[in-house]
């Protein structure tokens, strides 16, 4: 799809030479003031963005990515201030009055946020959003206005007039993000800042939106800053990569160079934590520990507490961001000493784990036969309609097997899981778990129902919502252990469960608010395993986690499978993650299975066009 040039005449996007400096940031510092005390959030960030260039800002949560972006356009929250220099088009932005920044935002610098619903008015149609976002100094007749709106929506791939008349809640997530992008571009900004614009989208929709962003950026010769925690995404789209950690820039260089020869241990750690689609790694690497607050490490190398190559000199002062190769900077004092080690470590990560032999399906732990689920959808106006979420789904899980269930949103993945857990009642079909017919939980005898609750457990996507915030971790796990009805010492068993998922015993007295996202997900896994299930259902268990934490949780699940001989149904839209954790994969599309087989074979040589599209959508450097 070729992008449409927005408008004509004076509205035509100016073509600027690629080499011109567009945005220059030097010594940008962000600090919060409360109770007379000042706390550093971002420290001495410096970079340059040329016209027509794409910069990816990457790092784990808490690295300062979003705070840096907000500082560029004066959108810092109350009590937070910025210092240093931000020059855009020759004008200084730091310290500029809000009324002037308000005129700048949208017209010259525009923002695209992670959740399009926060950018769109639910009471306005898609077309109305575009019209109200157009330059206010142009008066258009009704026919001209309609044509201009049509052009803008066509630029982002929306050519359906019916979609233009819809409200945000009537659009899919991908369509919502396209409308938000069209509105962000309506005043023809020369710089777009996109903050995690595809995090909540399916892989194929994510790919479409990213390619659309890249295409529009090139056609308009527009500057683009893409903020993401997914290094794969940044490498697939951006010309340059700027890696942030604990509020500072620790590496900055061309994307090919950062991908091939990272010049900082943290950048290497992020690359090593990214799971490949081509093979299952023998070991999923992760970075131990968590990102510290910028204020606690502002006078040392912030990564030194987590770095295996750190020496006392790394803690003697803040390392400068210095040129180590042509157009490539690093803030590592020891980079010359450890460069060969980094290369060896990077090469060693390609060791592949052999694919397992096919599991025996003679006596499967789970058998799903011709599962069908039809929902009745009430309409605001007119008669109710029906929606077929599952249309005759059949698959099995052998003893000791891990099966992946993949597909886009709306494919029926979660509906399958809800039927297995008794949260939904199938319209037709049969489900048997360890020989027990669990198609309708309401018809189970009390003894069978108790047995089934022990046989199957689930780990959900959001670790922040899956634990009771008012209960300690120990109380949560004691309750789960107590369900088993065993005559065991609950305190000893809780300690054993924490040890099983790699958490200290002291965490028993903590509440969820004091744990990181990865630690909470470990507790959720421990709670699920406390009843000793034979089948563990994992519904997008790592979707909201940083890549390093994701690697830790995946490696934990692999270890638990081996140690406990556990059967698993792993639901995800991320094929690279599924490749690391499953033996066999089932591909769902609109409630039907379109392909299934050994995970490695299906991803290496997909036989259905839909599976091939999912494989092509996985970001690659």
């Amino acid at each position: 799809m070729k992008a449409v040039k927005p408008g004509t005449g004076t509205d035509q996007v100016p073509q600027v030479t690629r080499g011109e400096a567009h945005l220059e940031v030097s010594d940008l510092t962000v600090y919060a003031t409360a109770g007379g005390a000042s706390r550093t959030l971002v420290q001495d960030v410096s970079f340059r963005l040329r016209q027509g260039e794409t910069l990816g800002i990457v790092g784990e949560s808490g690295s300062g990515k979003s705070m840096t972006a907000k500082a560029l356009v004066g959108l810092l929250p109350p009590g937070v201030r910025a210092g240093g220099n931000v020059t855009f088009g020759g004008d200084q932005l730091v310290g500029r009055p809000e009324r002037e920044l308000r005129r700048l935002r949208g017209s010259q610098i525009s923002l695209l946020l992670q959740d399009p619903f926060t950018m769109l008015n639910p009471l306005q149609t898609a077309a109305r959003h575009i019209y109200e976002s157009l330059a206010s100094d142009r008066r258009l007749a009704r026919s001209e206005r309609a044509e201009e709106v049509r052009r803008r929506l066509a630029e982002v791939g929306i050519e359906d007039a019916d979609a233009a008349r819809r409200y945000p809640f009537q659009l899919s997530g991908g369509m919502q993000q396209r409308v938000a992008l069209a509105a962000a571009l309506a005043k023809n900004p020369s710089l777009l800042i996109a903050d995690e614009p595809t995090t909540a989208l399916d892989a194929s929709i994510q790919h479409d939106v990213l390619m659309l962003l890249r295409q529009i950026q090139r056609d308009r010769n527009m500057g683009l800053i893409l903020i993401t925690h997914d290094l794969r995404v940044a490498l697939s789209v951006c010309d340059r990569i700027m890696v942030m950690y604990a509020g500072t820039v620790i590496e900055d260089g061309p994307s090919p160079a950062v991908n091939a020869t990272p010049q900082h241990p943290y950048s290497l750690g992020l690359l090593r934590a990214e799971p490949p689609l081509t093979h299952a790694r023998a070991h999923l690497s992760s970075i131990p520990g968590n990102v510290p607050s910028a204020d606690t490490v502002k006078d040392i190398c912030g990564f030194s507490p987590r770095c295996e190559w750190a020496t006392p000199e790394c803690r003697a002062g803040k390392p400068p961001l210095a040129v180590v190769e042509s157009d490539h900077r690093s803030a590592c004092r020891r980079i010359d000493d450890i460069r060969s080690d980094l290369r060896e470590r990077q090469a060693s990560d390609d060791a592949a784990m052999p694919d397992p032999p096919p599991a025996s399906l003679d006596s499967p732990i789970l058998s799903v036969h011709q599962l069908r689920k039809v929902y009745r959808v009430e309409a605001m106006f007119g008669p109710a309609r029906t929606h077929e979420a599952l249309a005759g789904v059949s698959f099995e899980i052998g003893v000791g097997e891990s099966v992946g269930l993949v597909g886009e949103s709306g494919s029926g993945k979660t509906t399958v899981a809800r039927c297995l857990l008794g949260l939904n009642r199938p319209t037709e079909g049969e489900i048997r778990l360890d020989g027990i017919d669990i198609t309708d939980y309401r018809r189970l005898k009390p003894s069978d129902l108790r047995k089934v609750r022990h046989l199957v457990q689930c780990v959900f996507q959001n670790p922040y919502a899956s634990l009771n915030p008012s209960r300690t971790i120990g109380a949560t796990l004691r309750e789960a252990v107590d369900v088993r009805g065993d005559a065991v010492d609950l305190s000893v068993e809780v300690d054993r469960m924490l040890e099983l998922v790699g958490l200290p015993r002291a965490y028993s007295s903590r509440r969820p608010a004091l744990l990181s996202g990865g630690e909470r997900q470990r507790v959720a896994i421990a709670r699920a395993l406390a009843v000793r299930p034979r089948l563990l259902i994992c519904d997008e268990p790592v979707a909201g986690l940083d890549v390093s934490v994701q690697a830790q949780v995946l490696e934990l699940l692999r270890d638990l499978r081996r140690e406990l001989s556990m059967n698993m149904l792993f639901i995800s839209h991320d094929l690279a993650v599924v490749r690391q954790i499953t033996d066999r994969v089932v591909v769902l599309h609109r409630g039907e299975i379109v392909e299934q087989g050994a995970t490695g074979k299906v991803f290496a040589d997909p036989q259905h066009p839909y599976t091939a599209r999912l494989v092509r959508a996985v970001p690659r450097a």
Side-chain angles (χ1 to χ4, degrees):
M1 180 193 71
K2 182 165 177 60
V4 180
K5 293 286 186 183
T8 58
T10 58
D11 189 43
Q12 189 70 36
V13 178
Q15 296 298 307
V16 184
T17 304
R18 174 68 176 267
E20 292 181 6
H22 189 43
L23 175 71
E24 292 189 80
V25 179
S26 61
D27 302 323
L28 177 66
T29 299
V30 179
Y31 54 94
T33 303
S38 181
R39 185 164 55 94
T40 302
L41 304 178
V42 173
Q43 183 180 13
D44 297 334
V45 170
S46 299
F47 65 91
R48 174 182 292 183
L49 181 72
R50 297 179 176 88
Q51 185 75 29
E53 188 178 31
T54 303
L55 173 68
I57 303 180
V58 301
E60 296 171 280
S61 299
S63 292
K65 308 183 302 293
S66 294
M67 197 63 70
T68 298
K70 291 175 182 178
L72 297 180
V73 290
L75 287 178
L76 293 171
V80 180
R81 298 182 179 275
N85 297 289
V86 177
T87 306
F88 177 74
D91 296 326
Q92 173 64 251
L93 301 189
V94 174
R96 200 166 178 175
E98 170 60 23
R99 64 181 180 276
E100 295 182 14
L101 289 174
R102 194 178 298 119
R103 287 196 296 268
L104 182 76
R105 292 193 290 262
S107 61
Q108 298 183 51
I109 302 178
S110 198
L111 298 174
L112 182 64
L113 303 179
Q114 175 176 343
D115 185 359
F117 231 78
T118 62
M119 297 183 63
L120 303 177
N121 186 335
L123 303 179
Q124 291 185 343
T125 63
R128 188 69 188 176
H129 278 95
I130 308 307
Y131 177 69
E132 290 196 348
S133 300
L134 292 171
S136 58
D137 59 349
R138 299 183 62 215
R139 300 182 67 84
L140 300 173
R142 177 172 295 185
S143 60
E144 293 176 317
R145 177 179 66 187
E147 178 61 19
E148 184 72 2
V149 169
R150 186 199 67 78
R151 272 199 303 267
R152 300 300 181 133
L153 290 174
E155 185 184 22
V156 296
I158 301 177
E159 301 188 11
D160 183 1
D162 186 52
R165 291 191 290 266
R166 291 178 184 169
Y167 294 89
F169 64 87
Q170 296 174 313
L171 301 172
S172 66
M175 291 287 276
Q176 290 174 11
Q177 195 63 289
R178 288 172 185 264
V179 172
L181 175 59
L185 298 175
K187 292 185 178 179
N188 303 324
S190 56
L191 172 62
L192 177 67
I193 301 175
D195 191 355
E196 299 277 9
T198 61
T199 298
L201 303 179
D202 288 322
S204 58
I205 300 174
Q206 177 192 71
H207 176 267
D208 291 344
V209 171
L210 287 172
M211 293 304 101
L212 176 66
L213 264 175
R214 185 62 162 153
Q215 176 183 304
I216 291 174
Q217 179 261 332
R218 286 172 170 169
D219 288 348
R220 286 170 169 251
N221 201 31
M222 176 180 65
L224 173 63
I225 295 178
L226 177 65
I227 298 170
T228 178
H229 68 276
D230 192 330
L231 190 52
R232 284 183 303 179
V233 166
L235 289 170
S236 69
V237 175
C238 300
D239 303 315
R240 296 185 62 82
I241 300 294
M242 187 173 84
V243 183
M244 291 193 68
Y245 184 82
T248 62
V249 179
I250 54 94
E251 185 169 358
D252 175 18
S255 291
V258 173
N259 181 50
T261 56
Q263 298 293 312
H264 195 283
Y266 178 63
S267 304
L268 175 64
L270 292 179
L271 281 171
R272 295 176 66 212
E274 293 281 2
L277 179 67
T278 53
H279 60 279
R281 280 183 176 159
H283 174 70
L284 294 173
S285 175
S286 62
I287 307 172
N290 300 298
V291 179
S293 65
D295 202 55
T296 61
V297 292
K298 62 182 180 181
D299 297 321
I300 64 171
C301 170
F303 188 61
S304 58
R306 303 172 73 183
C307 180
E308 62 179 287
W309 291 281
T311 62
E313 69 173 309
C314 300
R315 303 178 183 91
K318 199 75 172 178
L321 188 66
V323 175
V324 290
E325 291 181 355
S326 177
D327 203 24
H328 199 159
R329 301 183 298 168
S330 171
C332 177
R333 277 199 177 92
R334 302 201 62 225
I335 188 60
D336 291 334
D337 301 327
I338 67 173
R339 187 176 284 115
S340 60
D341 290 350
L342 298 184
R343 289 172 180 166
E344 290 177 7
R345 189 63 55 84
Q346 188 174 13
S348 67
D349 288 332
D350 287 332
M353 181 170 64
D355 291 330
S360 172
L361 296 178
D362 293 338
S363 300
I365 182 67
L366 176 73
S367 175
V368 178
H369 180 68
Q370 290 297 310
L371 195 65
R372 186 167 175 261
K373 178 62 181 177
V374 179
Y375 291 102
R376 177 184 172 89
V377 182
E378 300 293 339
M380 186 176 296
F381 303 103
R385 60 184 179 86
T386 59
H387 169 64
E388 190 174 43
L390 297 175
V393 169
S394 299
F395 68 92
E396 296 174 323
I397 298 180
V399 175
E401 190 178 33
S402 174
V403 172
L405 195 58
V406 302
E408 297 170 299
S409 296
S411 61
K413 306 188 302 295
T414 298
T415 301
V416 170
R418 291 180 64 85
C419 290
L420 297 181
L421 294 168
L423 302 176
N424 278 356
R425 186 160 54 95
T427 305
E428 295 177 10
E430 182 185 64
I431 307 172
R432 299 192 74 86
L433 178 65
D434 201 22
I436 302 174
D437 186 344
I438 62 169
T439 310
D440 189 346
Y441 273 58
R442 299 177 306 174
R443 296 183 178 180
L444 289 173
K445 295 184 296 185
S447 58
D448 283 343
L449 183 60
R450 285 193 298 271
K451 183 178 180 181
V452 168
R453 294 301 186 194
H454 288 182
L455 285 172
V456 60
Q457 286 292 308
C458 187
V459 178
F460 297 97
Q461 176 176 347
N462 188 354
Y464 295 91
S466 61
L467 300 176
N468 188 333
S470 65
R471 308 196 70 181
T472 65
I473 302 306
T476 295
L477 295 180
R478 278 193 294 273
E479 181 182 47
V481 172
D482 195 40
V483 168
R484 295 198 322 236
D486 298 345
V488 296
D489 187 318
L490 292 182
S491 296
V492 172
E493 190 67 8
V494 166
D495 289 345
R496 192 182 77 82
M497 296 309 301
L498 288 173
E499 183 179 351
L500 187 66
V501 296
L503 292 176
R505 295 180 180 181
Y507 276 38
S508 176
S509 60
R510 295 189 180 185
R511 285 183 167 79
L514 297 178
L515 273 60
S516 68
E519 289 171 337
R520 292 189 197 199
Q521 197 63 297
R522 287 173 180 263
V523 173
I525 293 171
R527 181 181 60 182
L529 296 179
V531 299
R532 297 175 182 169
R534 294 203 63 193
L535 176 65
L536 183 67
I537 299 175
C538 297
D539 191 357
E540 300 278 10
V542 296
L545 303 178
D546 284 321
V547 63
S548 180
V549 180
Q550 171 184 278
Q552 293 172 16
V553 173
L554 291 177
E555 188 69 11
L556 170 65
L557 288 171
R558 295 205 309 193
D559 290 343
L560 292 174
R561 269 196 67 204
R562 289 189 290 265
E563 183 175 342
L564 304 177
S565 300
M566 189 169 57
N567 310 282
M568 187 183 301
L569 178 65
F570 194 92
I571 300 172
S572 178
H573 68 272
D574 191 330
L575 302 195
V577 166
V578 172
R579 183 69 180 93
Q580 307 305 311
I581 201 74
T582 66
D583 309 320
R584 199 157 48 84
V585 66
V586 176
V587 184
L588 271 178
H589 179 50
R590 295 180 179 177
E592 297 182 1
I593 294 177
V594 297
E595 189 168 356
Q596 60 177 311
T599 305
K601 292 182 179 179
V602 169
F603 290 169
D605 186 22
Q607 298 299 303
H608 193 277
Y610 178 70
T611 310
R613 181 159 67 90
L614 293 180
V615 170
R616 287 195 303 269
V618 176
R620 292 173 174 84

